[in-house]
């Protein structure tokens, strides 16, 4: 026997779940089962001036998470930002009828090495994620994302890659680039890196249990000491070096799950995004805030302005399309449909069926 469940994002929740469920668009069936739905855990590290950017990323995660899907945010932050995160996430938790959980952690680095050195490695505090397996000892797996990312599709689409990993793989990443002629690693790196192009660490599935079994952190500090004068991209380079020596431990997913300006600023090189749309947008190198990347800035602006809980079509999809229309003079803007394709597959499911 099956139960028909109508689908909705967290953002459409109101005060009465029973009333809400009767108004959600029916698109698929979930087998009645005592099996617990796995919790999706999103981890992020935010320091300095990254509060607003991080909250917009977390907002996008809420937008594209169905009400029945358990969701947890794990936020590592400076003490100064903690009250702001607690206030906003508490507000959102109430808005979605407590179907989202969150936990806040201070920035902590291991006793090995200089903590200030780790804190200043590349972006402020970014290297914290190298030590998540030890800190989050009670969590099996996380989806780590940089603060400058946006979800443009349901989170379960990327989370399901955990199930596609073989028994030896402990993390999943996308390549740094798809084009060897413009890729940074194969042209400029002075240290080992993964595969032909290296990997970008801004969107990373981490099976923490397997990373602990691998003794991940025992590799991090020695590698940093050996290569610290040769690395440019901080923790990302350390990750590349580890998987250079242990390539069988890494699963590669397509560029649509970590889509950056490199994929369209010269020419479109991410075929999976052309076919299915961007799933996770990564505004690396400040592209969400730069006049040089109007299409990326347009997407960020739409999510920044959207108020959680309001109509997704009217207040997110329509403004986003309008903003993108103004960017068609740019290479990324010419393929503007890839920024909304995955979203448009999801948002119509929010429509109320009479």
């Amino acid at each position: 026997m099956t139960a028909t469940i109508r689908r909705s994002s967290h953002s459409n929740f109101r005060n009465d779940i029973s009333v809400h469920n009767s108004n959600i668009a029916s698109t698929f069936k979930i087998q009645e089962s005592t099996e617990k739905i796995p919790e999706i855990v999103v981890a992020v590290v935010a320091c300095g001036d990254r509060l607003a950017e991080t909250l917009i990323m977390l907002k996008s995660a809420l937008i594209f998470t169905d009400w029945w899907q358990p969701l947890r945010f794990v936020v590592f932050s400076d003490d100064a930002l903690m009250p702001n995160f607690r206030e906003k996430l508490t507000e959102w938790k109430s808005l979605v009828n407590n179907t989202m959980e969150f936990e806040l952690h201070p920035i902590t680095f291991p006793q090995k090495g200089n903590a200030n050195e780790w804190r200043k490695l590349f972006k402020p505090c970014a290297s914290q994620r190298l030590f998540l397996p030890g800190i989050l000892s009670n969590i099996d797996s996380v989806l780590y994302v940089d603060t400058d990312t946006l979800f443009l599709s349901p989170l379960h689409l990327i989370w399901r890659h955990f199930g596609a990993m073989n028994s030896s793989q402990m993390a999943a990443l996308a390549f740094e680039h798809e084009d060897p002629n413009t890729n940074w690693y194969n042209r400029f790196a002075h240290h080992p890196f993964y595969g032909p192009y290296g990997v970008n660490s801004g969107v990373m599935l981490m099976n923490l249990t397997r990373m602990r079994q691998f003794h991940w952190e025992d590799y991090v500090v020695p590698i940093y000491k050996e290569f610290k004068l040769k690395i440019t991209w901080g923790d990302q380079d350390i990750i590349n070096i580890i998987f250079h020596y242990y390539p069988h431990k890494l699963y590669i997913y397509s560029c649509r799950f970590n889509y950056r300006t490199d994929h369209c600023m010269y020419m479109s090189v991410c075929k999976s995004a052309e076919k299915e749309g961007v799933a996770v947008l990564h505004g690396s190198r400040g592209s969400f805030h730069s006049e040089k990347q109007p299409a990326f800035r347009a997407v960020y602006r739409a999510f920044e302005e959207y108020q959680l809980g309001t109509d997704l079509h009217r207040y997110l999809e329509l403004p986003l399309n309008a903003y993108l229309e103004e960017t068609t003079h740019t290479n990324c803007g010419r393929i503007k449909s890839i920024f909304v394709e995955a979203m448009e597959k999801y948002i119509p499911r929010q429509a109320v069926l009479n």
Side-chain angles (χ1 to χ4, degrees):
M1 179 179 177
T2 60
T4 300
I5 307 292
R6 299 188 177 208
R7 187 173 188 170
S8 171
S9 69
H10 274 305
S11 61
N12 286 341
F13 249 98
R14 293 298 182 268
N15 294 324
D16 190 335
I17 294 179
S18 62
V19 173
H20 176 76
N21 287 352
S22 67
N23 293 326
I24 306 172
S26 176
T27 58
F28 65 98
K29 293 182 178 181
I30 296 179
Q31 295 290 331
E32 286 185 333
S33 172
T34 57
E35 183 180 353
K36 186 178 179 181
I37 299 174
E39 181 180 61
I40 291 178
V41 182
V42 176
V44 64
V45 179
C47 293
D49 61 356
R50 299 285 177 158
L51 173 66
E53 193 174 69
T54 305
L55 288 174
I56 294 169
M57 179 277 291
L58 295 173
K59 184 202 301 184
S60 74
L62 277 172
I63 290 170
F64 291 106
T65 302
D66 293 294
W67 66 266
W68 46 263
Q69 172 64 64
L71 176 66
R72 179 177 300 272
F73 293 144
V74 178
V75 180
F76 289 83
S77 177
D78 281 336
D79 292 342
L81 300 184
M82 286 289 193
N84 303 88
F85 278 117
R86 182 172 286 105
E87 179 182 5
K88 181 56 68 173
L89 292 175
T90 299
E91 173 190 330
W92 286 348
K93 181 177 178 179
S94 176
L95 180 64
V96 301
N97 276 22
N98 298 318
T99 55
M100 171 268 287
E101 299 292 339
F102 70 89
E103 51 189 78
L104 304 178
H105 295 265
I107 300 297
T108 54
F109 291 108
Q111 297 299 316
K112 302 176 183 178
N114 187 317
N116 287 330
E117 205 170 354
W118 284 113
R119 176 180 283 270
K120 296 176 182 178
L121 184 65
F122 196 48
K123 295 178 182 179
C125 306
S127 60
Q128 176 73 86
R129 64 82 167 268
L130 294 172
F131 306 102
L132 295 188
I135 298 171
L136 302 177
S137 58
N138 62 327
I139 294 180
D140 176 69
S141 299
V142 301
L143 167 56
Y144 169 87
V145 290
D146 285 347
T147 62
D148 54 356
T149 53
L150 289 171
F151 293 97
L152 306 186
S153 66
L155 270 65
H156 69 79
L157 294 181
I158 186 169
W159 190 263
R160 69 186 182 187
H161 286 287
F162 277 122
M165 293 181 187
N166 65 37
S167 59
S168 68
Q169 291 166 334
M170 61 184 180
L173 293 163
F175 282 123
E176 173 67 17
H177 213 296
E178 305 294 309
D179 179 11
N181 296 317
T182 55
N183 179 49
W184 190 90
Y185 278 103
N186 65 286
R187 293 188 297 158
F188 304 118
H190 296 289
H191 58 78
F193 55 89
Y194 176 87
Y197 305 127
V199 286
N200 184 282
S201 62
V203 182
M204 183 176 184
L205 291 174
M206 305 172 70
N207 186 315
L208 301 181
T209 298
R210 293 180 184 177
M211 294 175 83
R212 286 188 285 266
Q213 293 168 347
F214 175 73
H215 301 288
W216 169 269
E217 293 177 28
D218 291 343
Y219 293 86
V220 169
V221 175
I223 283 176
Y224 172 66
K225 289 181 177 179
E226 181 176 351
F227 292 99
K228 67 178 181 178
L229 298 180
K230 296 181 179 181
I231 61 177
T232 301
W233 307 113
D235 51 313
Q236 176 172 294
D237 288 346
I238 293 173
I239 290 169
N240 264 280
I241 294 168
I242 292 175
F243 287 120
H244 168 83
Y245 292 111
Y246 298 93
H248 62 289
K249 295 290 185 180
L250 183 63
Y251 172 99
I252 296 292
Y253 45 57
S254 77
C255 45
R256 70 184 293 255
F257 293 102
N258 186 351
Y259 191 90
R260 288 163 287 114
T261 56
D262 293 339
H263 293 119
C264 60
M265 62 188 298
Y266 301 116
M267 58 182 292
S268 180
V269 295
C270 182
K271 301 306 178 184
S272 61
E274 292 177 8
K275 183 178 179 181
E276 301 178 83
V278 175
V280 185
L281 190 67
H282 185 184
S284 57
R285 299 193 295 273
S287 57
F288 284 154
H289 315 287
S290 172
E291 296 286 353
K292 296 180 180 180
Q293 302 296 339
F296 279 66
R297 190 176 182 187
V299 178
Y300 184 82
R301 177 185 175 188
F303 277 86
E304 181 180 30
E305 294 175 352
Y306 175 73
Q307 297 296 311
L308 200 63
T310 60
D311 184 84
L312 287 169
H313 174 68
R314 180 179 299 178
Y315 298 113
L316 178 61
E317 185 180 2
L318 290 181
L320 174 55
N321 277 291
Y323 297 154
L324 284 170
E325 191 64 35
E326 300 173 0
T327 73
T328 54
H329 62 286
T330 67
N331 286 338
C332 292
R334 288 190 185 99
I335 53 171
K336 59 184 176 64
S337 62
I338 67 169
F339 298 105
V340 295
E341 183 174 346
M343 180 188 306
E344 288 175 344
K345 292 176 182 176
Y346 181 77
I347 290 179
R349 294 170 177 171
Q350 316 311 317
V352 175
L353 299 182
N354 295 322

